[in-house]
Amino acid sequence: MHMKVRDVMTSEVASVNGSTPFRDVAEVLIAHEVSAVPVVDGEGHVIGVVSEADLLRKEEFREQFYREGYRPPLRARLREAVGHGASRTQERAHGVTAAELMSAPAVTTWPYTSVVSAARQMSRHGVKRLPVVDDEGVLVGIISRHDLLKVLARADADIAREIREDVIGNCLWADLSGVEVSVSEGVVTLTGALERRSQARVLTRMVERTNGVIGVVDRLEWKDDDAGPWEGA
């Protein structure tokens, strides 16, 4: 029921190796219209990530591609202002290859990770995209914030289809044949009758966890109120 990284990631990934010259890294970023690319070794293992923020520490890149008026992102300016990683920042400013410019180790994820976990990783580490690696650490894709937004903006028909087929259609713990599902702007309305109140609660929670669901309107009815007093009203 939960969408995985493999379902939304981009499989064709622009990457560079550690010996790629500064100028070639810059050209890759510009040509592919991305703000960062993974750095891989000869076997395709991800060893770091080089971003435009890394390159912007070199004045020639800033002037050639963004002109003198460009200002780095607020996060980068704040980090430099408080002195975090100052020595490493100065070291990168003199780098001439991807290996010397990159941030390492790279923050990566796996194809079988849920998109929710991937979103939390991005937020926690302050990055816009995550290289996706297999169990051997080999690059197999990349997932970006844009990819995650596509999950949140799923069509109502897709959400309704998933709930009917995967939640209701595959249910083995209750008879849900009398449940009706409608979706409008990501809000799911459940109507129908179940045997027990606890079944209605479980169903509602499962629907709430479906990707793209903004909220659930519970209009379910039940015959047996088997909820204990500790569960609240």
Side-chain angles (χ1 to χ4, degrees), residues 106-231:
V107 181
T108 61
T109 189
W110 296 276
Y112 46 80
T113 299
S114 71
V115 293
V116 174
S117 296
R120 289 173 179 167
Q121 272 187 284
M122 289 186 194
S123 177
R124 183 165 60 252
H125 294 280
V127 295
K128 297 179 180 179
R129 55 181 46 81
L130 295 171
V132 184
V133 299
D134 63 17
D135 291 335
E136 302 299 323
V138 175
L139 181 68
V140 296
I142 197 162
I143 184 171
S144 68
R145 290 180 180 176
H146 179 71
D147 296 324
L148 296 178
L149 287 176
K150 289 189 293 186
V151 176
L152 297 176
R154 293 180 69 191
D156 290 341
D158 291 338
I159 296 173
R161 185 183 308 110
E162 179 175 344
I163 294 172
R164 293 189 184 107
E165 294 179 358
D166 295 349
V167 180
I168 296 177
N170 292 329
C171 179
L172 300 176
W173 47 269
D175 179 8
L176 304 182
S177 58
V179 175
E180 296 292 333
V181 178
S182 62
V183 185
S184 177
E185 300 296 327
V187 177
V188 179
T189 299
L190 299 174
T191 57
L194 296 171
E195 286 294 324
R196 296 192 295 274
R197 184 180 184 184
S198 60
Q199 295 173 341
R201 289 191 172 187
V202 171
L203 175 59
T204 300
R205 289 169 183 167
M206 292 179 68
V207 170
E208 287 174 340
R209 297 175 61 188
T210 301
N211 289 304
V213 171
I214 306 301
V216 177
V217 177
D218 180 0
R219 293 180 179 167
L220 296 168
E221 299 177 351
W222 57 87
K223 298 177 181 178
D224 179 18
D225 187 354
D226 60 343
W230 56 86
E231 295 186 69

Side-chain angles (χ1 to χ4, degrees), residues 11-27:
S11 298
E12 297 181 6
V13 189
S15 64
V16 297
N17 59 53
S19 62
T20 303
F22 159 83
R23 188 168 296 279
D24 290 348
V25 175
E27 294 290 355

Side-chain angles (χ1 to χ4, degrees), residues 2-17:
H2 294 290
M3 196 169 290
K4 306 297 184 183
V5 166
R6 60 174 172 262
D7 299 320
V8 296
M9 72 179 190
T10 299
S11 298
E12 297 181 6
V13 189
S15 64
V16 297
N17 59 53

